[in-house]
Amino acid sequence: MPTKTRAASYTTGSDQKPTIHFPAEHAERSAALPTVPNAIIECKDVNVYYNAFRAVTGVDLSFGSKEITALIGPSGCGKSTLLRSLNRMNDLIDGARVEGSVTFQGEDIYHKEVDAIEVRRRIGMVFQKPNPFPKSIYDNIAYGPRVIGLKASNMDDLVEEALTRAALWPEVKDKLKQSAFGLSGGQQQRLCIARTIAVKPDVILMDEPCSSLDPIATSRIEDLMYELREDYTIIIVTHNMQQAARVADRTAFFTALASEETGDRTGLLVEYDLTKKIFESPADQRTEDYISGRFG
Amino acid sequence: MTFLTTGLGAHIRSASIHGKVRGGEHSARSVLFLIALWLCLFVAFGVLLTLIITTLIDGFSRLDSRLVTEYPASAPERAGLRPAILGSIWVIGATALLTIPLGVAAAVHLEEFADRKKWFNRAIELNVQNLAAVPSIVYGLLALGFLALLGVQNKNIVIGGALALGLLVLPVIIISTREALRGVPLEIRQGSLALGATPLQTVWRQTLPASVPGIATGAILGLSRALGEAAPLLVLGALVFVSFDPNGLLSGYTTMPIQIFNWTSRPQAEFHELASAGSILLLLILLAMNGLAIFIRNRYQQRW
C-alpha cells in the first residue's frame, strides 16, 4: 500500500476563512487510505464550515457499495457533520457550507445542476432520536412514496414490504391504522428505517441510530442493519465502539484538533481501514488510544 | 468530601433546620404582597361579576324566543335581534374566509421560508406584533378609506365590514399560526426532507396539519374578538335599524353589538331590557366560541 502523508497546515487566501495551523506531528495521517472497491460515495478534500468555523477539515473518504461503514471518534470530531453533508442535509442549516467534492456514483452532489431533493431521495437518513410523523403507522411508511410520486401499483404491498424488511411487520400488522407514537422507542426507530427503505434509496445514512435505545432494541437494529446490507449501502455514525466493531465492514476514526491560535476545534480523519484492522492493529497511536478507552 | 471539614461545613451540620427562614413566605412583606394580589383579583373579578349579574337581572325577562325571531321594531315588546344575529354570522363568516387563508399563508412564509437575516422580514415581523395592539376604530377608518378609494358609494355592505374586522383579526391569526408552526419539532421537518420531500410538501403534509389545533384556536379567539366589535362597523356606517335578512356579501347589515348599542341609547326602559338580553346572548355566543377553542386545543394538541 502506498503511504500518503499529509501535513494539515491549511492557509487559505480569502479573508473570511480562518487560517488554521495544526501541529504537524498530530495532523499527519499515518495510515494509508485503502482503496475501496466499487465505492458509491467518494469524498475528496471535504471541508465543512459553519459560517467561519471549520467543523471538518480535509476529509478523503470512500464508502463501499453494499457495505456498512462506521464513523467513530470523540464528541465534536465532525462525524455527524460529515454524515449530514453526504445527502445535503447540511443545506438546511444557516451558514453551513461544503468545500471539496462529494460524489455519488461519480456525480458531484453539490454541482449547481443537482437538486438536493433528488440527492436525498437516493441517500436517505435515519436520525439520532426516532422521529415518526404524527400519523398512523401505515401513513408513516406511505408518506415517502407518496411525496416522491412513486407509482406503487399497490401501496398496501409496499407498506408491508418495507415493514417486513425492517423486521417490524409481525409486531404492527394488526395496528397499521394506529398512531406511530404508540410504539416503543426501538419500534419507532425501526419504523423510521422502514420509512426510509420505502422510498428505495441506494444509501442509508444513520446518525447514532441507537443512542436513545436500550441494549435489546439496539441489538435488533444491528441485526437489521446486517440484513439490509445485502441491498443497501449503510453509513453509520456511532459513539458505541462495540457497535462499530460488530456491524461495520470498514471503520473511519476521526479526531478533533484544536487550532494553536484560536482554540477552535475541527474534525480530522485519522485512520480508515477494515474494521478488523482498526480494532485489532490500528496504525495510528491516537486510534489505539481511543479504542482502548484511553481518551475520548 | 474535604469541604465538610471546613468551617462552613461544620456550621451547616450543627444548625437546626427548625424555624422559619428570614424573608420567607410568612414575613410581613410577603403577606402584604399577597394581600395586594388578592385585592387586584377581587377588584377585577368583582367588577365583572357585578356587570354580568346586573345584565342578567335586567335582561332575563326578555330572554325568550322573540329575541331571536323578531325584527327590530319601534315597539320594544315586538322587537328582536334576528337581522343582527344573521348580520353577525354573515360578517364573521366573511371575515373568516378572508383572513384565515391570508393569515396562515403569511405566517407560513414568515416562519418557514423568509430569511430571518433580511431586514425587511424583521420589519414585517415587528409590524405584525404592533398591529395586534392597534385600536379597532383605526381599522374601521382604514377600511373606510380603502372602500372610498375603490369608489364604493354605499359602505354598509357585508364585505366592507368583513374587510375592517379582517384587518383587526389578521395579526392575531398570523401570530397564533406562527406559534403553532414553531411548536412542530425540527425533527419532523428533517424527517420529511430526508425522505426527498420538497420544502413545500413538508409544509403542506407535515408542519401545517400538525399546527391545525393551534391555528384553529387562534382563529376562533381572533374571530370572537371581532364578533364583539362595534366601533369599526359604526365608522363604516352600519345600519341600526334593519328590517330584512342580509342575503349576500353586498347586502346591508347590522350586527349584534351595533343593535345593542342602538337599544341602550333609546329612552324607554323596555329597550334597555332588550339590550341586556341581547348582551347575554352575545356573551353566551362568545363563551361558546372560547369554549370550542379550549376544547380543540385540549383534544387535538399534539404532545411531542
Side-chain angles (χ1 to χ4, degrees), chain A residues 117 121 131 135 143 147, chain B residues 187 192 196 201 205-206 302:
Chain A
I117 308 290
R121 287 178 186 179
N131 59 346
K135 298 172 184 290
Y143 178 76
V147 295
Chain B
E187 286 86 22
S192 172
Q201 284 173 325
R205 294 169 180 243
Q206 297 289 354
Q302 188 70 55

Side-chain angles (χ1 to χ4, degrees), chain B residues 137-161:
Chain B
I137 194 152
V138 175
Y139 291 114
L141 293 168
L142 200 63
L144 188 70
F146 183 67
L147 289 175
L149 215 63
L150 289 180
V152 179
Q153 292 292 321
N154 175 19
K155 296 181 186 68
N156 174 239
I157 46 176
V158 167
I159 190 75

Side-chain angles (χ1 to χ4, degrees), chain A residues 248-267:
Chain A
D249 297 293
R250 290 174 207 276
T251 298
F253 171 67
F254 290 76
T255 193
L257 271 191
S259 157
E260 281 179 331
E261 291 149 21
T262 61
D264 280 347
R265 285 151 66 88
T266 191

Side-chain angles (χ1 to χ4, degrees), chain A residues 34-247:
Chain A
T35 44
V36 176
N38 60 63
I40 187 163
I41 296 181
E42 287 176 284
C43 300
K44 288 207 183 72
D45 196 20
V46 169
N47 296 277
V48 187
Y49 296 87
Y50 295 122
N51 297 313
F53 168 68
R54 191 197 318 231
V56 172
T57 297
V59 170
D60 291 313
L61 199 51
S62 297
F63 300 97
S65 181
K66 296 185 182 168
E67 283 187 5
I68 300 177
T69 307
L71 310 182
I72 62 168
S75 297
C77 71
K79 50 195 192 303
S80 286
T81 298
L82 181 70
L83 191 78
R84 298 170 66 89
S85 67
L86 299 181
N87 73 339
R88 295 190 59 175
M89 285 301 283
N90 266 350
D91 291 13
L92 307 174
I93 299 168
D94 270 348
R97 197 171 81 250
V98 175
E99 281 180 6
S101 96
V102 181
T103 57
F104 169 68
Q105 294 177 341
E107 287 179 283
D108 186 352
I109 66 166
Y110 285 93
H111 192 278
K112 64 178 185 295
E113 277 171 24
V114 169
D115 194 342
I117 308 290
E118 187 58 36
V119 171
R120 294 185 202 124
R121 287 178 186 179
R122 309 289 294 278
I123 307 174
M125 190 161 197
V126 176
F127 296 85
Q128 187 168 355
K129 202 175 131 224
N131 59 346
F133 300 132
K135 298 172 184 290
S136 70
I137 293 168
Y138 184 97
D139 286 336
N140 260 278
I141 306 293
Y143 178 76
R146 280 178 188 149
V147 295
I148 70 171
L150 208 65
K151 287 282 170 279
S153 51
N154 191 339
M155 187 61 86
D156 293 355
D157 291 344
L158 201 145
V159 169
E160 180 175 347
E161 188 198 328
L163 284 168
T164 307
R165 297 262 8 215
L168 196 60
W169 178 251
E171 292 159 66
V172 301
K173 65 172 189 287
D174 297 324
K175 46 180 181 178
L176 292 175
K177 296 289 167 209
Q178 289 176 24
S179 168
F181 283 17
L183 298 174
S184 71
Q187 288 174 324
Q188 287 187 6
Q189 194 63 299
R190 275 182 283 146
L191 182 73
C192 292
I193 294 173
R195 190 172 77 183
T196 307
I197 298 170
V199 297
K200 305 196 187 305
D202 297 301
V203 181
I204 303 173
L205 308 178
M206 297 188 176
D207 189 358
E208 298 181 42
C210 303
S211 62
S212 64
L213 305 182
D214 64 58
I216 294 166
T218 299
S219 105
R220 299 203 64 166
I221 302 261
E222 287 175 10
D223 292 346
L224 176 58
M225 286 165 64
Y226 218 75
E227 283 162 31
L228 290 175
R229 194 181 67 140
E230 287 174 21
D231 298 304
Y232 300 93
T233 304
I234 297 175
I235 303 170
I236 175 177
V237 163
T238 178
H239 265 125
N240 182 336
M241 279 178 286
Q242 285 73 35
Q243 183 169 61
R246 282 192 298 261
V247 300

